[in-house]
Amino acid sequence: MDLFGGIEAGGTKFVCVIASGPDDVRAEKRIATTTPKETLDNVIAFFKEYTQSTHEAIQALGVACFGPLDLNPKSPTYGYITTTPKPGWANVDVVGPLKAALGLPVAFDTDVNGAAIGEGAWGAAQGMDDFLYFTIGTGIGGGAVYNGSTIRGLVHPEMGHVLLPHDRQRDPYPGFCPFHKDCFEGLASGPSMQDRWGKPATELPPDHPAWALEAEYIAAAMQIFVSGLSPTRVILGGGVMQQEQLFPLVRRRTQEMLNGYIQSPVILERIDDLIVPPGLGNRAGVLGAVALAQRAVK
Ligand code: ADP
Ligand code: ZN
């Protein structure tokens, strides 16, 4: 079995695995996100130690990374994290040091594009060519696979930053996105729930009005992306979506907001098949990185 390295690069931790697939993970390590140099040195050491101690070759590395990122292979700063507010991490080369130290092909994409690829390979979107993956957690991001490839374009999609209808009578909370205030992330991420309700989302009981409001915003975003991109499936992951009561609420409001216009039985009769939780659970990110690596050498 060919082995691949996967790195889920996040703002608090880098999760590294060596695997041939989800059922064959040979090694795994969580590395705290500190300074770029220290973090990447620790990542490199993990992969080097594995190949030196086992004499097994790794074919390629995949990095599913927090952003924003430069994904344009023609750009001089390809493989960099660009304008992140995370201290010390703006304009940091991620791909360069990994490639130089490990001498492997490196596939690089956003964390959510990576998770989408993972869900397509082994999770809730197997066999599908056109689908979306969202994380609703500390931030909100969307990854998109169309014709079997991730969408990049000018930079890469930032689906968490669309502006949503905001009824200020029902919800006077102004939103916390530093760029847009009441965008999707500003209104519906975990920290925005904590800010609005005065306690962490994890401590709000299932019958709290917070969840109907949360579902309203997620459904408004679904209205935008289901109309705009016609995905065959939308996977909703991230910590906040562990509140399972959100799924029926989001599905019903999405259907209501689409209002019978899009003539597909998947929307009209089987919306449970359209909006689903991740098949890989919280492993989507790191397994997605492995799937990115696999695709790099196929
Ligand atoms: P991250 O986005 O940092 O990778 P998560 O997807 O777990 O990590 O998102 C963390 C956010 O999700 C926090 O704001 C937290 O309050 C919220 N969260 C985590 N687990 C739950 C849960 N079971 N129910 C509701 N909110 C949760
Ligand atoms: Zn925003």
Side-chain angles (χ1 to χ4, degrees), residues 111-190:
D111 43 11
V112 277
N113 270 347
I117 288 288
E119 288 288 326
W122 300 304
Q126 289 176 61
M128 292 183 163
D129 291 325
D130 310 292
F131 58 92
L132 303 176
Y133 175 94
F134 284 89
T135 182
I136 302 177
T138 304
I140 296 182
V145 173
Y146 275 77
N147 299 318
S149 299
T150 58
I151 292 189
R152 295 174 168 208
L154 192 61
V155 182
H156 49 71
E158 288 285 5
M159 293 189 250
H161 292 270
V162 291
L163 294 174
L164 302 178
H166 181 187
D167 176 350
R168 285 169 193 273
Q169 303 269 256
R170 178 177 177 189
D171 177 24
Y173 179 67
F176 88 113
C177 174
F179 292 89
H180 318 111
K181 289 215 182 295
D182 55 351
C183 65
F184 187 14
E185 178 171 294
L187 289 173
S189 61

Side-chain angles (χ1 to χ4, degrees), residues 12-13 135-139 189-191 194 200-202 211 238-240 242-243:
T12 47
K13 61 187 187 298
T135 182
I136 302 177
T138 304
S189 61
Q194 166 150 9
T202 42
W211 300 112
V240 172
Q242 286 180 43
Q243 300 283 328

